[in-house]
Amino acid sequence: PTWTTQKKEEEGVDTGAFEALEKDFQEVLAELVGDKSLEHFRQEYEKLHRALKKSHDSEKHLIKKCRDLNSEIVNNAVKVQAALKLSQEDQSTITALKKEIERAWKMVEASHEKEQRAKDTIHNLKVEISNLSRLVEQGAGLSINQENTVNNLVQQKNDLMKHKDMLQGQVQQLTQHNTELFEKV
């Protein structure tokens, strides 16, 4: 199709038919100009022609407006679809983040419990070390059997001290891990 026929199709109005009507009007008007008896008819004919021309212009304007509105509707539909998709993605992200927060809180709670158990164990070991130290101090000048018992107690004390030191290291690690988890939350 040529550019002019495409333009006519775009306008949605058969311009050729309108041009033919315009030509016919000019011919009829030329015939009526000379005849005074048809002057009233000529005036009515011109009014009719002006109304037709105005109607034709309005039709072209309305068709253009309809096309513009249709284009705007299509664009808005695309935007709505994009917004819906983003909204669904946001909901998925929110759900995933909520699950992540729940897991982090569970880890924090477990860390608190583990830390408390370690503190209790350390306290019990300190009490036992204190008791063993007192017994060792009282054991000076005891018999060989008692000395062996004291030596065994001293060995137990040393073992318990090592165990206490190891547990304190674990408590420090758990405290640090707990702090890191709080910072994440």
Side-chain angles (χ1 to χ4, degrees):
T2 64
W3 182 82
T4 53
T5 56
Q6 282 179 340
K7 184 70 175 161
K8 289 177 189 176
E9 288 172 3
E10 288 175 9
E11 291 175 358
V13 179
D14 186 0
T15 307
F18 185 75
E19 287 173 0
L21 283 173
E22 183 70 29
K23 185 180 175 190
D24 287 346
F25 169 76
Q26 293 302 330
E27 289 174 1
V28 170
L29 193 59
E31 291 175 13
L32 294 177
V33 167
D35 193 348
K36 293 285 184 200
S37 64
L38 297 175
E39 182 64 24
H40 180 68
F41 177 74
R42 183 186 62 79
Q43 288 174 354
E44 291 298 319
Y45 191 67
E46 284 178 341
K47 281 185 191 175
L48 185 62
H49 178 259
R50 281 192 299 272
L52 177 64
K53 198 170 184 180
K54 185 176 179 180
S55 173
H56 178 72
D57 291 342
S58 294
E59 180 183 15
K60 287 187 342 186
H61 175 74
L62 288 174
I63 288 172
K64 182 182 181 317
K65 184 146 182 106
C66 284
R67 283 205 179 96
D68 292 344
L69 289 172
N70 192 34
S71 175
E72 188 176 334
I73 288 170
V74 169
N75 288 338
N76 287 339
V78 168
K79 289 177 185 176
V80 166
Q81 288 297 323
L84 287 173
K85 185 177 180 186
L86 284 175
S87 175
Q88 289 171 346
E89 290 172 359
D90 287 348
Q91 286 300 322
S92 299
T93 302
I94 288 169
T95 302
L97 289 174
K98 282 182 180 178
K99 288 180 181 177
E100 184 67 29
I101 289 171
E102 287 175 19
R103 280 196 300 271
W105 276 113
K106 286 179 183 176
M107 289 174 69
V108 167
E109 289 172 6
S111 177
H112 278 300
E113 291 172 10
K114 206 172 188 182
E115 183 179 357
Q116 188 58 45
R117 284 194 305 268
K119 284 181 180 179
D120 291 343
T121 303
I122 289 171
H123 175 71
N124 291 338
L125 289 174
K126 283 182 180 179
V127 169
E128 194 171 337
I129 288 170
S130 175
N131 291 336
L132 289 174
S133 294
R134 201 171 354 98
L135 285 175
V136 167
E137 289 172 5
Q138 292 173 355
L142 299 174
S143 67
I144 295 176
N145 191 21
Q146 289 175 331
E147 191 173 324
N148 286 337
T149 303
V150 169
N151 287 337
N152 285 339
L153 289 174
V154 168
Q155 183 61 41
Q156 284 181 359
K157 174 189 169 194
N158 291 337
D159 291 344
L160 289 173
M161 291 291 279
K162 288 178 187 175
H163 189 64
K164 177 193 89 149
D165 292 341
M166 180 192 72
L167 287 175
Q168 281 180 328
Q170 287 180 352
V171 166
Q172 287 176 343
Q173 288 176 345
L174 287 172
T175 302
Q176 182 179 359
H177 182 65
N178 193 17
T179 302
E180 290 170 2
L181 285 175
F182 272 123
E183 288 173 2
K184 286 182 181 178
V185 173

